[in-house]
């Protein structure tokens, strides 16, 4: 038969066969083809190519459909089986093999990868069976292998990025091998489109097939003749290429690594498992590819992956897991007979491997932990299935096992659980210890139990097994000996390795998801008797201590008792401190300093909770305590008498300078961190521990003075000032006398450095001639730090003599120094101001303490005792007064010359502003002046401030000294400032603003020095400067001029908005000082002449209106002075110190005399009434005059006091109309609502200013035509806002209850508000509130001015608790109940009656509320729910109000009580109902018979 006929017959037969293949099983296809070939004359080749063409059509059809159904899939599998059988039958099958690869195999591989992975594997198996049977490895090597290798190179970017280096033997050149010419173009076009996983998968299958052939066929001469030996060469070459590709892909992307680990590495390890080496011929040279070489390269790749991210770590663990799955520890040790004599590579000898396993075991990723655990078991030759804990011996007693006595049910249950796990209870005297394998079993058991969430497994095994590990780790055959292989030559290294593994268990326990497990592990760790292990305790890894242990201390679950009853510690903190003391006691001085430095540095890197920061501070102090055994807050001597290498006392020449500086820096950061926790007692404890650590490690004299000053300034002043709890300790540290032969005592050296500070500070050259506000602020801060340390060091008066001498020498020629440098006198004045400020602070603190020793009963602080050698503050005043008086004259002259900048206009022309001002966005407002003008202005400002400060200083201790020159300078400066002309430019406006800035301290000094001695100077200056005010109120013209001038300055259009805000702030500060003059005069018992009062009512009205109109838009810095000014204005009106009886009243003297006469004759008749009304009507001429006559009439003739009160109330209302008060109230509320932060000082000032007692006694302020008055409206707003702001409602309750107690007649207007306060509940504690009261002087002052009930102990105990609102109301009605029994004047009787009526009203309101309210009337409610708490609060208050039950309301009370008693309530609520009932029945016994007995029947 011709070839054409053969082909046509084959084509016809192939179409028929294609349909038949679907009907028969795959196993029947080869026999069917054999029958066809036998019964026909067709050759296998013709039938093969016909079927191959049909297969190509089927493949194209599947691609066009986009899917592969079951029928085409079966057809393809059958056709491939037929083709492979024909290839086997075809003897010379090279051409057929190549055709099948290009048209069938490669397209099918791609299609199978996309549609059906199972079909892909089936086709590949069939094809490689053909290759194995026919030994057709050469076509594969020339086509398929290069094709897929090239595909890998394209997919991985290897070919594009670089050419492989052929100079090294293990580099493959296969990517340059050309494929057979016939299929070259086609194969190259397909290679780039093949996915990487498919290429790796096919190559792995090829290598696996080659390995099978290589292993199955022995190499003999007959085999060589038929070419079967070629499989060995093919396998070796392919293995070599895949090893190189694997090394590349393993360091690339996640997908590439996944393909490598999933496809290539298993078959490569399989190859090396069967043969340790392969011979490869490359470029005419023979090389040996060994197992060792490849393993080392893979380990190198794994090391690189470990240093990358978490995904890379996973892949590295997967690679190691594959390696160990093929080459276990036993097999590795057995297969050491390398053909080349090279020693077998054992990865267990790599220390880095064990370190990576340790890292993996504590990784946050659970999969990584499981991989690490699996690898560890492989390395230890422990299989998961065969792991037995029976090796952890259980010593069984004879007969029935006895149950231990004295254990809890929980411990007994854990004991039984341990028995079920095979965990025995070994006695302390175990005859034979555990071997290393058994110890590893214990370790793995504990680790796997910690992976579970439940507590029962850990409770069952932990304490027992961890004790065993520690007990037998001291032996030579400890569990780390199984992996050390002789690496650890000494016991210290062995202990390091033991604790590095044990710390893994502790770390996993500390971060366990179950809080109970975390607590148990922590208690177990801290319960270890570390003293028994001696110096080996320092082998606990520092990374564990500084990491997991300190993080665990920051876990609140370990500190349930923290802060209870003011004790800021816990058992966990004490245990951790004891451990760290034991740990650090075995470190030398250098190591201890480094460790404490690292420990304290944690505050910079981590955020600590309150308990966590306290634990950190305790641990720092314990670690720094040296040779002393740590026990709570005290130190004991070492019991064992052990001597450390380093003495606790330091020698200066041996102390590491840099370490001390760095230590104080990190200690300072710990102190700064404590400021975010505002509780003063807590902060004291932290500071105490930090100071203790600093005193233990850092010699104060060997630290740079700047660093030491900075550290001391971080400590709260209240703990280091006079009477402070840490003052003595800080002084002992600073003055500790460590003898050094070079410098003498440390005290002398440190004090010498401190005494030299003023000269260094003043003479130290400034970088530039000019300076600005930032420089000045930095200088002031530096001086304050120095002054604070100075008076901590000074113990004797003579130690201040160098400073006094320095002030005298530099102060006398201050003007001459100004000619040389402008910043020298400014620095000198800054030094004086800081010194005076520190002495005043010290005197104020000493006055408050009054040589008082604080004990534990005082604010919970420890006992402190001030040293008797402290220099008295009065002596310090005496020492500094004389030199300051000496330099005052020269200072006034210097201030006069400096202040010329405020009046001269020669240098006022526009100059370029500095870059720091131009284009500045945000931050504090800066002066819009040139550098030179800024320097001049600051010099003038600081000089005026210095004159004012020294004037106040010298006038205070020596009241007889008349400081005429300073007083006159300040007075004239005031006048010149308020008389300055209108500004014509921005520069002039800035100069005027600076003048008002300097005026604020000047006015403060003038006002504070207002006394009988200065009255003559004051009046003399008034007459000389403002002669027109003679006969008028003294301050009217001055205040009006001040307001007019500063308002004109505010109105000019030259000033920037931010600068106008600064000027407004100074306006209100100065105005507050002016309004204080009458009060200082009254305080100093200043007697004024007739016609010499300070303000007229018109002027005060103008001031009041100006303040109220500005309240709404007030800045944060202006709030306090504005509210204080309002309070001062209201007090001026209320006190009657406004009006002066001047010459305009002289013509009325005779009329007043006649009125007196008529009053003396008959005050009960109509004439007396007439003249009384006349006096009321002419009240405009003088409030004090009215008071005099009104009081005189009452005193002499018993005029009806109710009429007097009515007229006075009317007069007060006339002075302040309701509209004015409404304006004040609305503006104040807008101001309060616009504040971002609810500051204590602002809230208290608002309450005391707007809710002023002088306004509160007026009924129209609370109710007007049955509508809320202005004060009631404000109270409603404040209490409504107080539901969101605990401090607002507490301060409001404090002030309002005081006002209500003083004015019982106003309580009836606030029944609703009283009910709100009674039922109020909020957060338990406001730490910020405590912090502001402790640190903010304004807050303390404003709170003391509130109209509180005179019960300081109750207020102090409850002011910062959620109880205070209702406690204050309860206390109010308790006081009112006591008031109802008093008998006195008619006014007192009216107050008592009002108190009784208000109590009745409030009682009836609460009873009605608890009976009718929807929530409080409920009988089903949960314990501790909101309803439960509100019920308790309401009935508690009702019990307090039981004293107000009277005959007129007892029936209504009994009715409500009966309803309430019939309802179901929890016992905690019903006890108050029954208490109230008992009080009623005791007060009204008749109710027992008429009501109680009837219901009992």
């Amino acid at each position: 038969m011709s070839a054409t006929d053969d082909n046509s017959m084959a084509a016809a037969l192939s179409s028929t066969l294609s349909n038949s293949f679907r009907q028969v099983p795959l196993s029947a296809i080869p026999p069917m083809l054999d029958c066809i070939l036998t019964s026909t004359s067709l050759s296998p080749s013709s039938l093969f190519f016909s079927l191959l063409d049909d297969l190509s059509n089927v493949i194209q059809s599947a691609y066009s459909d986009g899917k592969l159904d079951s029928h085409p899939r079966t057809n393809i599998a059958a056709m491939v089986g037929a083709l492979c059988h024909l290839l086997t039958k075809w003897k010379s099958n090279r051409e057929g093999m190549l055709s099948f690869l290009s048209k069938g195999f490669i397209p099918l591989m791609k299609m199978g990868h996309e549609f059906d992975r199972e079909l892909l594997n089936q086709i590949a198996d069939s094809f490689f069976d053909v290759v194995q049977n026919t030994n057709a490895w050469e076509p594969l090597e020339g086509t398929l292998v290069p094709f897929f290798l090239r595909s890998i190179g394209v997919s991985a970017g290897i070919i594009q990025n670089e050419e492989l280096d052929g100079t090294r033997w293990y580099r493959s050149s296969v990517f340059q091998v050309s494929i057979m010419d016939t299929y070259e173009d086609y194969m190259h076009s397909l290679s780039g489109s093949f996915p990487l996983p498919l290429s790796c998968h096919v190559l792995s299958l090829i290598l696996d097939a080659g390995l099978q052939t290589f292993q199955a066929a022995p190499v003999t001469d007959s085999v060589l003749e038929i070419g079967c030996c070629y499989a060995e060469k093919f396998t070796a070459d392919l293995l070599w290429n895949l090893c190189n590709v694997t090394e590349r892909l393993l360091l690339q992307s996640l997908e590439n690594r996944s393909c490598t680990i999933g496809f290539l590495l298993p078959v490569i390890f399989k190859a090396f498992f069967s043969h340790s080496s392969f011979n490869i011929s490359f470029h005419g040279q023979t090389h040996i590819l060994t197992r060792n070489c490849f393993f080392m390269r893979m380990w190198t790749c794994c090391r690189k992956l470990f240093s990358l991210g978490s995904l890379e770590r996973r892949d590295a663990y997967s690679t190691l897991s594959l390696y160990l799955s093929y080459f276990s520890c036993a097999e590795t040790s057995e297969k050491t007979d390398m053909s080349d004599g090279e020693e077998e590579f054992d990865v267990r000898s790599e220390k880095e491997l064990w370190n990576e396993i340790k890292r993996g075991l504590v990784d946050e990723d659970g999969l990584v932990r499981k991989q690490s655990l699996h690898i560890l078991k492989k390395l230890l030759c422990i299989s998961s299935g065969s792991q037995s804990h029976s090796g952890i011996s259980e010593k069984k007693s004879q007969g029935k096992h006895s149950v231990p006595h004295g254990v809890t049910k929980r411990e007994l249950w854990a004991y039984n659980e341990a028995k079920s796990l095979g965990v025995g209870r070994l006695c302390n005297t175990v005859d034979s210890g555990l071997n290393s394998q058994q110890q590893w079993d214990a370790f793995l058991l504990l680790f796997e139990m910690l992976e579970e969430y439940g507590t029962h497994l850990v409770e069952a095994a932990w304490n027992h097994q961890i004790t065993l590990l520690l007990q037998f780790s001291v032996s030579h055959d400890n569990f780390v000996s199984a992996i050390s292989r002789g690496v650890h030559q000494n016991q210290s290294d062995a202990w390091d390795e033991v604790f590095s593994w044990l710390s893994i268990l502790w770390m996993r326990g500390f971060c366990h998801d179950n809080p109970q497990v975390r607590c148990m592990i922590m208690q177990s760790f801290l319960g270890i008797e570390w003293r028994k292990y001696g110096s080996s305790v320092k082998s606990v890894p520092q990374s564990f201590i500084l990491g997991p242990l300190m993080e665990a201390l920051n876990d609140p679950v370990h500190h349930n008792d923290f802060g209870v009853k003011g004790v800021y510690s816990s058992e966990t903190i004490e245990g951790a401190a004891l451990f760290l003391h034991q740990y650090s006691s075995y470190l030398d001085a250098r190591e201890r300093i480094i460790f404490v430095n690292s420990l304290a540095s944690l505050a910079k890197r981590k955020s600590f909770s309150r308990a966590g920061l306290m634990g950190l501070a305790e641990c720092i102090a314990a670690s720094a305590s040296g040779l002393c055994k740590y026990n709570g807050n005290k130190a004991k001597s070492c019991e064992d008498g052990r001597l450390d290498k380093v003495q606790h006392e330091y020698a200066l020449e041996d102390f590491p300078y840099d370490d001390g500086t760095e230590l104080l820096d990190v200690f300072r950061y710990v102190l700064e961190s404590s400021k975010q926790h505002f509780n003063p007692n807590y902060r004291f404890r932290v500071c105490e521990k930090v100071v203790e650590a600093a005193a233990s490690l850092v010699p104060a004299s060997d630290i740079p003075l700047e660093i030491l000053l900075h550290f001391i300034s971080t400590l709260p002043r209240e703990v280091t000032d006079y009477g402070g709890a840490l003052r003595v300790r800080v002084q002992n540290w600073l003055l500790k006398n460590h003898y050094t032969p070079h410098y003498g005592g440390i005290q002398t050296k440190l004090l010498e450095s401190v005494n030299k500070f003023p000269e260094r500070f003043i003479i130290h050259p400034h970088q530039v001639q000019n300076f600005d506000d930032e420089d000045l602020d930095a200088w002031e801060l530096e001086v304050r730090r120095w002054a604070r340390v100075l008076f901590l060091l000074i113990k004797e008066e003579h130690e201040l003599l160098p400073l006094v001498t320095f002030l005298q020498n530099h102060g006398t020629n201050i003007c001459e120094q100004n000619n040389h440098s402008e910043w020298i006198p400014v620095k000198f004045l800054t030094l004086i101001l800081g010194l005076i400020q520190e002495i005043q602070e010290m005197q104020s603190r000493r006055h408050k303490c009054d040589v008082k020793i604080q004990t534990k009963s005082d604010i919970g602080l420890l006992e402190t005792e001030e040293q008797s050698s402290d220099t008295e503050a009065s002596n310090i005043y005496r020492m500094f007064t004389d030199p300051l008086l000496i330099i005052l004259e020269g200072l006034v002259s210097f201030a006069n010359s400096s202040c010329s900048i405020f009046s001269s206009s020669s240098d006022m022309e526009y100059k370029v502003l500095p870059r720091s001002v131009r284009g500045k966005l945000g931050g504090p407002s800066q002066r819009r002046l040139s550098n030179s003008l800024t320097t001049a202005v600051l010099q003038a400002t600081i000089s005026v401030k210095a004159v004012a400060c020294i004037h106040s200083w010298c006038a205070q201790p020596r009241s007889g000294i008349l400081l005429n020159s300073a007083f006159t300078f300040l007075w004239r400066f005031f006048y010149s400032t308020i008389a300055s002309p209108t500004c014509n430019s921005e520069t002039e406006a800035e100069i005027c603003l600076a003048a008002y800035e300097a005026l604020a301290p000047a006015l403060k000094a003038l006002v504070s020095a207002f006394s009988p001695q200065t009255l003559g100077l004051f009046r003399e200056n008034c007459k000389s400067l403002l002669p027109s005010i003679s006969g008028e109120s003294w301050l009217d013209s001055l205040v009006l001029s001040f307001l007019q001038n500063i308002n004109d300055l505010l109105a000019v259009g030259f000033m920037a908005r931010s600068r106008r805000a600064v000027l407004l702030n100074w306006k209100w500060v100065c105005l507050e000082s002016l309004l204080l003059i009458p009060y200082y005069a009254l305080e100093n018992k200043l007697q004024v002449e007739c016609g010499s009062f300070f303000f007229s009512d018109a002027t005060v009205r103008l001031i009041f209106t100006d303040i109220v109109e500005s309240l709404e838009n007030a800045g944060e810095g202006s709030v306090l002075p504005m509210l204080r000014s309002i309070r001062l204005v209201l007090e001026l009106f209320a006190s009657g110190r406004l009006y002066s009886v001047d010459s305009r009243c002289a013509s009325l003297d005779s009329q007043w005399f006649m009125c007196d006469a008529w009053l003396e004759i008959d005050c009960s008749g109509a004439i007396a009434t007439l003249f009384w009304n006349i006096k009321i009507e002419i009240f405009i001429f003088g409030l004090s005059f009215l008071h005099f006559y009104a009081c005189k009439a009452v005193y002499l003739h018993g005029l009806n006091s109710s009429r007097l009160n009515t007229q006075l109330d009317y007069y007060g209302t006339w002075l302040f109309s309701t509209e004015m008060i409404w304006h004040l109230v609305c503006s104040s509320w807008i101001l309060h609502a616009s504040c971002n932060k609810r500051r204590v000082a602002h809230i208290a000032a608002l309450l005391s200013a707007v809710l002023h007692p002088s306004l509160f006694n007026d009924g129209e302020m609370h109710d007007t035509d049955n509508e809320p008055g202005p004060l009631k409206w404000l109270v409603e707003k404040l209490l409504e806002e107080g539901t969101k702001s605990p401090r607002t409602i507490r301060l409001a309750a404090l002030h309002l209850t005081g006002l209500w107690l003083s004015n019982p007649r106003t309580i009836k207007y606030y029944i609703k508000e009283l009910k709100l306060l009674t039922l109020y509940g909020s957060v338990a504690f406001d730490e910020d509130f405590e912090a502001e009261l402790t640190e903010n002087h304004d807050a303390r002052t404003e709170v003391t001015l509130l109209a509180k009930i005179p019960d300081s102990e109750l207020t102090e105990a409850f002011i910062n608790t959620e109880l205070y609102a209702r406690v204050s109301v309860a206390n109010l009605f308790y006081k009112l109940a006591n008031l109802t029994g008093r008998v006195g004047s008619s006014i007192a009787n009216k107050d008592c009656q009002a108190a009784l009526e208000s109590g009745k009203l409030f009682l009836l309101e609460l009873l009605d509320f608890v009976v009718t309210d929807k929530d409080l009337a409920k009988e089903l409610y949960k314990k501790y729910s909101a309803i439960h708490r509100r019920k308790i609060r309401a009935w508690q208050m009702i019990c307090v109000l039981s004293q107000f039950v009277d005959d007129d309301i007892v029936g209504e009370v009994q009715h409500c009580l009966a309803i309430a008693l019939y309802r179901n309530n929890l016992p905690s609520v019903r006890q108050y109902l029954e208490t109230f009932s008992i009080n009623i029945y005791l007060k009204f016994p008749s109710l027992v018979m008429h009501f109680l007995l009837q219901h009992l029947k």
Side-chain angles (χ1 to χ4, degrees), residues 505-525:
L505 298 176
W506 291 322
M507 290 164 68
R508 288 297 305 138
F510 291 160
C511 62
H512 200 275
D513 293 336
N514 192 329
Q516 295 182 6
V517 174
R518 297 202 299 270
C519 289
M520 188 179 66
I521 302 302
M522 177 62 77
Q523 293 172 3
S524 170
F525 174 77

Side-chain angles (χ1 to χ4, degrees), residues 607-887:
S607 177
F608 282 89
S609 63
R610 182 188 300 179
L613 186 63
M614 177 59 71
L616 177 65
E618 291 268 11
C619 291
I620 290 173
S623 302
S625 57
L627 290 174
C628 301
K629 292 295 180 187
Y630 192 79
N631 183 14
N633 299 324
K634 298 180 181 180
K636 298 180 180 180
S637 301
C638 293
E639 297 178 1
D640 54 2
R642 182 182 55 85
L643 294 178
D644 202 343
K645 306 174 194 176
V646 180
Q647 296 296 326
H648 187 63
E649 302 292 334
Y650 295 97
L652 288 180
E653 61 271 15
D654 297 332
F655 184 79
Y657 174 89
D658 294 335
D659 288 345
T661 302
E662 189 175 355
L663 263 180
L664 281 193
D665 182 64
V666 294
F667 286 169
R668 180 179 58 82
Y669 197 89
V670 176
L671 295 177
E672 293 283 356
S673 300
S674 68
K675 292 183 178 180
Q676 62 182 325
H677 307 290
F678 303 107
N679 188 295
N681 297 342
Y682 170 83
R683 290 186 58 192
F684 161 73
R685 291 285 299 172
V686 175
C687 295
E688 179 188 31
K689 295 303 174 183
V690 173
V691 170
E692 180 182 337
S696 299
L697 291 180
V698 184
S701 65
D702 207 41
I703 302 300
L705 183 60
E706 292 76 10
I707 302 298
L708 184 63
L709 299 182
H710 202 179
F711 174 76
I712 297 296
S713 67
T714 313
L715 294 169
R717 290 197 66 98
E718 60 267 18
V719 302
T720 59
D721 285 349
Y722 182 83
L726 293 180
R727 182 177 178 84
V728 174
R729 295 190 185 185
V730 174
Q731 285 180 325
N732 290 338
W733 172 42
L734 297 178
L735 299 175
K736 201 168 187 180
N737 191 7
H738 299 264
Y739 175 74
T740 56
H742 301 287
Y743 301 104
I746 284 183
Q747 178 182 357
T748 304
K749 180 182 177 182
L750 183 57
L751 185 59
E752 180 183 0
S753 178
V754 171
N755 285 334
K756 290 181 179 180
F757 172 83
E759 185 173 359
R760 293 198 309 269
F761 171 74
I762 294 176
I763 303 178
H764 181 72
H766 198 51
Q767 293 182 354
V768 293
Q769 189 66 22
N770 298 315
F771 53 88
D772 56 14
D773 293 85
E774 292 182 359
D775 296 323
L776 192 60
D777 292 340
W779 296 341
E780 291 175 352
L781 183 60
E782 191 176 359
V783 169
R784 285 199 299 268
R785 292 171 179 169
W786 162 78
R788 184 177 175 184
V789 174
L790 172 68
F791 290 105
L792 282 172
L793 288 172
I794 296 300
K795 308 303 293 182
E796 301 292 341
E797 293 183 25
H798 66 84
E799 294 174 338
L800 289 172
L801 292 178
L803 179 59
V804 173
T805 304
F806 174 82
L807 295 179
Q808 290 180 348
N809 295 338
H810 285 75
T812 53
N813 57 351
I814 186 172
C815 293
E816 298 178 3
Q817 296 178 10
N818 188 43
N819 297 330
H820 297 87
S821 179
E822 295 180 348
W823 47 265
I824 289 182
V826 172
K827 278 192 168 185
F828 178 74
L829 296 179
T830 302
L831 184 74
I832 292 179
L833 291 174
L835 194 61
I836 293 176
Q837 181 182 0
E838 182 63 29
I839 297 176
Q840 289 174 340
E841 288 277 354
M842 184 176 63
Q843 185 189 34
S844 174
R845 177 76 178 181
R846 194 178 187 93
H847 177 71
K848 291 177 183 178
C849 293
D850 194 18
V851 197
K852 178 183 177 182
I853 299 176
Q854 296 182 347
T855 61
K856 292 182 179 179
S857 60
D858 291 324
I859 66 172
L861 301 181
L862 298 175
E863 271 187 10
T864 60
E865 187 174 325
E866 189 63 47
Q867 295 183 359
S868 59
S869 59
D870 274 341
T871 306
E872 295 290 339
S874 57
N875 295 337
I876 295 178
Y877 264 97
R878 177 183 54 78
M879 292 186 65
F880 283 98
T881 299
D882 293 335
L884 291 178
L885 280 175
I886 293 174
I887 68 175

Side-chain angles (χ1 to χ4, degrees), residues 773 776 927 937-938 941 973 977 992-1002 1059 1062-1063 1066 1070:
D773 293 85
L776 192 60
R927 304 180 193 273
V937 163
L938 287 176
T941 302
F973 177 72
T977 301
C992 292
L993 189 156
Y996 278 105
E997 180 184 349
L999 180 61
R1059 302 305 293 163
V1062 174
L1063 181 59
W1066 294 121
C1070 294

